[in-house]
Amino acid sequence: MRLATVRDGSRDGRLVVVRRDGDAVLDARSVARTLQDALDRWDACAASLRALAATLDAGDVDGEPLDPDQLLSPLPRAYEWIDGSAYLNHVRLVRKARGAEPPPTLETDPLVYQGGSGVLLAPTEDIPLQDPAWGLDLEGEVCCILGDVPRGTRASEAARCVRLLCLANDVTLRSLVPAELAKGFGFFQSKPATAFSPFAVTPDELGPAWRDGRVLLRLTVRWNGKVVGDLDAGPEMHFSFLDLVQHVAKTRAFTAGTILGSGTISNADRARGWSCIAEQRALELIDHGEATTRFLAAGDTVELEMRDGAGRNVFGTIAQRVVPG
Amino acid sequence: MRLATVRDGSRDGRLVVVRRDGDAVLDARSVARTLQDALDRWDACAASLRALAATLDAGDVDGEPLDPDQLLSPLPRAYEWIDGSAYLNHVRLVRKARGAEPPPTLETDPLVYQGGSGVLLAPTEDIPLQDPAWGLDLEGEVCCILGDVPRGTRASEAARCVRLLCLANDVTLRSLVPAELAKGFGFFQSKPATAFSPFAVTPDELGPAWRDGRVLLRLTVRWNGKVVGDLDAGPEMHFSFLDLVQHVAKTRAFTAGTILGSGTISNADRARGWSCIAEQRALELIDHGEATTRFLAAGDTVELEMRDGAGRNVFGTIAQRVVPG
């Protein structure tokens, strides 16, 4: 089942189910007003939502044509947005580029930060470029949307907490990071609003590509139409989503609708490209002593998507333009 | 006007207005289902909520007796919980105690961290003590609950974004802080769920005690019934709430219902006591080379409240017990 949220003038949009071909949607408000509402009452809603999707797939109803520009983030605002950094190749390269050491516990203790979750960007929403000197960057990620997570949940129990999967563009103001992290309290101004994919998808939609808390698909990243990354999201995710759940739940519980991100998808094989400019610049710095690839500029476009073995665009495409602002 | 949220089995509780004497409440669901709902439609709701409160104050209706144990946090879950550290005396002492330097920009660039907001503790909810070695501590704070904040809001425009004021106990696992901050991504496991005061109060209720984005009242802190802090929340708040709004809004917008905290209230005059144990321990370390005051233990009680010039308990009392768990 794939779910989406359509712009309707309200803060949280209206819930729809998405047809298998991704070209039509069906209003799901007979089951739940919003995606948050469905997540709050998942056990009571999931079967009815699946039934709606089945009628749409069977052609029993036409639904409405899907207009990507009318979609909001599946959760236009969420109660928490927690972002990991589970691809260690990314951590090592980016820290090296800013002259910081990776923490000594890199391989045993997951890195996560608490992100801002009250204003999330729609999949085709413009990214404002406030100041080109701030180093506007994308970060391509895969995420899960959780159900209620009790405090103390172990990785072995965490799969049942994963309700939905989606993609994110975790927009980052790279030049604001070093000074902010030096203050010791983590990211804040350096992480403006994050964008999410059109569709939030139940794990069973991925079939064997959802395994052991990892998404075994490739993320395609296009910058101004050119493929700059074709990254395997699976094996190099050092900490799985199940590991990340155990880590974040050590001292806290989470409400349904909490979004948990993988961190920037990154492969050690350079031929696979990149999903954030900072990594490419880090490699240039290491190889040539100088970073030459620029950050995002006004007019640039960024696209992120994942296709399955059958070529289906599983989560829809995050397709954003950078605009002055 | 003072608002509260009563436990009703739902995730977000039901909204009530509070009688002037704090002894009775009146159901406000005819105006808004929940406090978040009221904040989402504040301009349409505020006058009606004030009218309800006036009927209760006038004795035109009896309302229901207020039972503090039936109150949830005014927002049982919020879209963002952003906590500043605006009392520099606290920053200096606590950093000194853990052998860290305050950032060189301490007086010009506010410290804030993004806290977990999906599960917030009720004002009389037990604080679980998972492991005594983690150094369970309280932090007494004053907070504002914001309306929509556009990106780029300046301090001079920020007063209009402040909808409500309340208190918080920003529970901290002190011994988990150093290792977590050393990883560079800020607090996570070291900040379990935060508790909030019974009432969320419009700024006009404070009269002249709300001035220039500061609350000019004293926070009383009791530990096992003994007053350990009687702290002036006003003049030593180096960055006002208006300054903090400008800081956080530099690159991001915020949705209605975002909670913004002052950080631990702290006075340079030691005679005023303290609102977190870490500060007392820091002073002991500085004076005697050894911290002797213990952290919170099972069975301990913690109370936080603020009274105005007339002796009124403005926000109600946060009154929590520490329990094994």
Side-chain angles (χ1 to χ4, degrees), chain B residues 50-70:
Chain B
R50 285 182 191 278
L52 274 184
T55 63
L56 188 60
D57 288 342
D60 299 342
V61 291
D62 288 338
E64 323 154 41
L66 182 142
D67 175 357
D69 289 334
Q70 288 306 309

Side-chain angles (χ1 to χ4, degrees), chain A residues 11-12 33 36 39-41 77-80 82-85 95 98 103 105 109-119 128 130 134 148 151-152 173 176 179-193 246-256 258 325, chain B residues 11-12 33 36 39-41 77-80 82-85 95 98 103 105 109-119 128 130 134 148 151-152 173 176 179-193 246-256 258 325:
Chain A
R11 290 174 179 271
D12 300 301
R33 289 177 298 114
Q36 181 64 51
L39 290 159
D40 282 347
R41 303 181 292 114
R77 51 183 182 174
Y79 288 108
E80 305 207 24
I82 302 163
D83 198 11
S85 197
R95 296 229 174 180
R98 66 167 191 260
T105 56
D109 185 24
L111 281 166
V112 298
Y113 78 91
Q114 186 92 37
S117 56
V119 176
Q130 290 183 256
W134 292 351
D148 289 300
R151 179 164 58 86
L173 299 167
L176 300 189
E180 194 151 58
L181 295 196
K183 290 162 66 181
F185 275 22
F187 304 99
F188 199 96
Q189 294 176 333
S190 53
K191 291 284 187 181
Q246 173 172 315
H247 177 80
V248 299
K250 181 179 173 183
T251 63
R252 289 167 45 188
F254 299 92
T255 192
T258 295
Chain B
R11 290 175 179 270
D12 299 300
R33 289 176 299 112
Q36 182 64 50
L39 290 159
D40 282 347
R41 305 181 290 115
R77 51 184 181 173
Y79 288 107
E80 305 208 24
I82 302 163
D83 198 11
S85 197
R95 296 231 173 178
R98 66 166 190 259
T105 55
D109 186 23
L111 281 166
V112 298
Y113 78 91
Q114 186 92 38
S117 56
V119 176
Q130 290 183 255
W134 291 351
D148 289 300
R151 180 164 57 86
L173 299 167
L176 301 188
E180 194 151 59
L181 295 196
K183 290 161 66 182
F185 275 22
F187 304 99
F188 199 97
Q189 293 176 333
S190 53
K191 292 283 187 182
Q246 174 172 314
H247 178 80
V248 298
K250 181 179 173 183
T251 62
R252 288 167 45 188
F254 299 92
T255 191
T258 295

